[in-house]
Amino acid sequence: MTSFPDIVVGAPGDGEVLELPFGVFTVRISGSQTGGALSVVESVLSAGALGAAPHVHHGHEEYFLVTDGEVTFDTADGVLTVGAGGSVAVPRGQAHGYRNASSSVARLTTLFTPAGYENYFRAVASAAASGVEITPTLLNELRAEQQTTPAEF
Protein backbone atom coordinates (compact mmCIF):
# COMPACT_ATOMS: atom_id res chain seq x y z
CA MET A 1 0.00 0.00 0.00
CA THR A 2 1.21 3.47 -0.87
CA SER A 3 1.49 5.87 2.01
CA PHE A 4 1.28 9.64 1.82
CA PRO A 5 4.51 11.58 2.16
CA ASP A 6 2.82 14.10 4.49
CA ILE A 7 -0.54 15.46 5.63
CA VAL A 8 -2.34 17.22 2.79
CA VAL A 9 -4.37 20.30 3.69
CA GLY A 10 -6.42 22.39 1.33
CA ALA A 11 -8.24 25.52 2.37
CA PRO A 12 -11.62 26.44 0.89
CA GLY A 13 -10.98 27.95 -2.51
CA ASP A 14 -7.65 26.13 -2.94
CA GLY A 15 -7.17 23.82 -5.86
CA GLU A 16 -6.37 23.77 -9.55
CA VAL A 17 -9.44 25.00 -11.44
CA LEU A 18 -9.95 23.39 -14.84
CA GLU A 19 -12.48 24.80 -17.32
CA LEU A 20 -13.92 21.91 -19.31
CA PRO A 21 -16.62 22.00 -22.00
CA PHE A 22 -18.95 20.06 -19.69
CA GLY A 23 -18.25 21.85 -16.40
CA VAL A 24 -15.70 23.24 -14.00
CA PHE A 25 -13.47 20.64 -12.35
CA THR A 26 -11.20 21.55 -9.45
CA VAL A 27 -8.33 19.29 -8.45
CA ARG A 28 -8.53 19.54 -4.66
CA ILE A 29 -5.86 16.92 -3.92
CA SER A 30 -3.43 15.82 -6.60
CA GLY A 31 -1.52 12.58 -6.85
CA SER A 32 1.67 14.61 -6.58
CA GLN A 33 0.59 15.51 -3.02
CA THR A 34 -0.23 11.92 -1.97
CA GLY A 35 2.64 9.94 -3.42
CA GLY A 36 0.22 8.71 -6.09
CA ALA A 37 -2.13 7.05 -3.59
CA LEU A 38 -5.21 9.09 -4.45
CA SER A 39 -6.58 12.28 -5.92
CA VAL A 40 -9.75 14.24 -5.26
CA VAL A 41 -11.59 16.27 -7.88
CA GLU A 42 -14.62 18.46 -7.31
CA SER A 43 -16.91 18.86 -10.32
CA VAL A 44 -19.65 21.34 -11.12
CA LEU A 45 -21.82 20.07 -13.98
CA SER A 46 -24.08 22.47 -15.83
CA ALA A 47 -27.72 21.53 -16.32
CA GLY A 48 -27.95 18.81 -18.97
CA ALA A 49 -24.15 18.28 -19.09
CA LEU A 50 -22.60 14.93 -19.92
CA GLY A 51 -19.87 14.34 -17.33
CA ALA A 52 -18.54 11.21 -19.02
CA ALA A 53 -19.81 8.90 -21.73
CA PRO A 54 -19.83 5.20 -20.77
CA HIS A 55 -16.28 3.93 -20.27
CA VAL A 56 -14.24 1.39 -18.31
CA HIS A 57 -11.20 2.15 -16.15
CA HIS A 58 -8.48 -0.45 -15.97
CA GLY A 59 -6.04 1.46 -13.77
CA HIS A 60 -8.09 2.91 -10.92
CA GLU A 61 -11.30 2.94 -8.92
CA GLU A 62 -13.65 5.92 -8.61
CA TYR A 63 -15.77 6.98 -5.65
CA PHE A 64 -18.40 9.65 -6.31
CA LEU A 65 -20.13 11.75 -3.65
CA VAL A 66 -22.96 13.94 -4.94
CA THR A 67 -22.88 17.17 -2.93
CA ASP A 68 -25.59 19.21 -4.66
CA GLY A 69 -28.38 18.47 -7.11
CA GLU A 70 -28.54 15.02 -8.64
CA VAL A 71 -26.33 13.03 -10.96
CA THR A 72 -27.46 10.21 -13.23
CA PHE A 73 -25.08 7.26 -13.53
CA ASP A 74 -25.29 4.86 -16.46
CA THR A 75 -24.10 1.36 -15.60
CA ALA A 76 -24.27 -2.07 -17.18
CA ASP A 77 -27.01 -2.83 -14.61
CA GLY A 78 -29.12 0.19 -15.54
CA VAL A 79 -29.58 3.86 -14.77
CA LEU A 80 -29.14 5.23 -11.23
CA THR A 81 -30.06 8.77 -10.21
CA VAL A 82 -28.27 9.85 -7.04
CA GLY A 83 -29.16 12.98 -5.09
CA ALA A 84 -27.15 15.16 -2.75
CA GLY A 85 -25.56 13.11 0.01
CA GLY A 86 -25.60 9.91 -2.07
CA SER A 87 -22.54 8.07 -3.30
CA VAL A 88 -21.45 5.56 -5.92
CA ALA A 89 -18.29 3.41 -5.91
CA VAL A 90 -17.05 2.04 -9.23
CA PRO A 91 -14.39 -0.71 -9.20
CA ARG A 92 -11.91 -1.25 -12.01
CA GLY A 93 -13.36 -3.02 -15.00
CA GLN A 94 -16.98 -1.85 -14.47
CA ALA A 95 -18.60 0.16 -17.26
CA HIS A 96 -20.09 3.47 -16.17
CA GLY A 97 -20.81 7.00 -17.27
CA TYR A 98 -22.46 9.96 -15.59
CA ARG A 99 -24.43 13.05 -16.47
CA ASN A 100 -26.50 15.84 -15.07
CA ALA A 101 -29.91 15.05 -16.56
CA SER A 102 -31.60 17.75 -14.47
CA SER A 103 -32.32 21.40 -15.21
CA SER A 104 -30.17 22.55 -12.25
CA VAL A 105 -26.45 22.60 -11.56
CA ALA A 106 -25.05 19.45 -9.93
CA ARG A 107 -21.90 19.13 -7.84
CA LEU A 108 -19.93 16.05 -6.99
CA THR A 109 -16.63 15.13 -5.43
CA THR A 110 -14.72 12.20 -6.89
CA LEU A 111 -11.91 10.23 -5.25
CA PHE A 112 -9.58 8.33 -7.58
CA THR A 113 -7.44 5.46 -6.25
CA PRO A 114 -4.68 5.36 -7.19
CA ALA A 115 -4.18 8.92 -8.40
CA GLY A 116 -3.47 9.92 -11.96
CA TYR A 117 -6.85 10.34 -13.63
CA GLU A 118 -6.82 14.02 -12.75
CA ASN A 119 -4.34 14.27 -15.64
CA TYR A 120 -7.15 13.37 -18.05
CA PHE A 121 -9.10 16.44 -16.89
CA ARG A 122 -5.96 18.56 -17.24
CA ALA A 123 -5.49 17.30 -20.82
CA VAL A 124 -9.11 18.09 -21.76
CA ALA A 125 -8.86 21.57 -20.23
CA SER A 126 -5.58 22.22 -22.05
CA ALA A 127 -7.03 21.10 -25.39
CA ALA A 128 -10.13 23.25 -24.89
CA ALA A 129 -8.06 26.30 -23.89
CA SER A 130 -5.93 25.96 -27.02
CA GLY A 131 -9.01 25.91 -29.25
CA VAL A 132 -8.99 22.21 -30.12
CA GLU A 133 -12.47 20.85 -30.85
CA ILE A 134 -13.46 18.52 -28.03
CA THR A 135 -14.97 15.52 -29.79
CA PRO A 136 -15.90 12.07 -28.48
CA THR A 137 -12.93 10.69 -30.45
CA LEU A 138 -10.51 13.09 -28.74
CA LEU A 139 -11.96 12.30 -25.31
CA ASN A 140 -11.54 8.57 -25.98
CA GLU A 141 -7.92 9.13 -27.06
CA LEU A 142 -7.18 11.10 -23.89
CA ARG A 143 -8.93 8.48 -21.74
CA ALA A 144 -6.89 5.71 -23.37
CA GLU A 145 -3.76 7.38 -22.03
CA GLN A 146 -5.21 6.73 -18.55
CA GLN A 147 -5.94 3.00 -19.13
CA THR A 148 -9.59 3.75 -19.89
CA THR A 149 -11.62 2.38 -22.79
CA PRO A 150 -15.05 3.29 -24.19
CA ALA A 151 -17.98 1.10 -23.19
CA GLU A 152 -21.42 0.54 -24.66
CA PHE A 153 -24.51 -0.67 -22.89
Side-chain angles (χ1 to χ4, degrees):
M1 175 176 220
T2 305
S3 59
F4 293 12
D6 205 348
I7 294 174
V8 178
V9 177
D14 282 356
E16 176 186 3
V17 178
L18 305 170
E19 298 283 340
L20 302 166
F22 37 88
V24 177
F25 285 44
T26 303
V27 179
R28 294 290 180 192
I29 299 174
S30 178
S32 64
Q33 296 171 289
T34 65
L38 64 88
S39 61
V40 178
V41 176
E42 179 182 75
S43 307
V44 179
L45 297 177
S46 304
L50 174 67
H55 59 281
V56 176
H57 298 293
H58 303 286
H60 69 273
E61 288 81 26
E62 290 182 335
Y63 308 90
F64 299 91
L65 173 64
V66 179
T67 57
D68 192 29
E70 59 182 33
V71 177
T72 300
F73 292 85
D74 299 298
T75 73
D77 294 330
V79 176
L80 309 166
T81 299
V82 179
S87 59
V88 174
V90 181
R92 294 176 204 211
Q94 293 291 315
H96 66 287
Y98 66 96
R99 54 199 160 90
N100 179 0
S102 78
S103 59
S104 301
V105 168
R107 289 178 170 77
L108 61 156
T109 299
T110 308
L111 171 73
F112 302 93
T113 59
Y117 201 68
E118 70 273 23
N119 294 324
Y120 163 75
F121 302 121
R122 289 176 175 131
V124 174
S126 176
S130 67
V132 172
E133 182 181 1
I134 306 302
T135 64
T137 299
L138 175 63
L139 294 175
N140 285 336
E141 289 171 2
L142 296 174
R143 279 192 193 102
E145 294 173 10
Q146 303 299 322
Q147 300 179 35
T148 303
T149 57
E152 292 185 30
F153 299 117

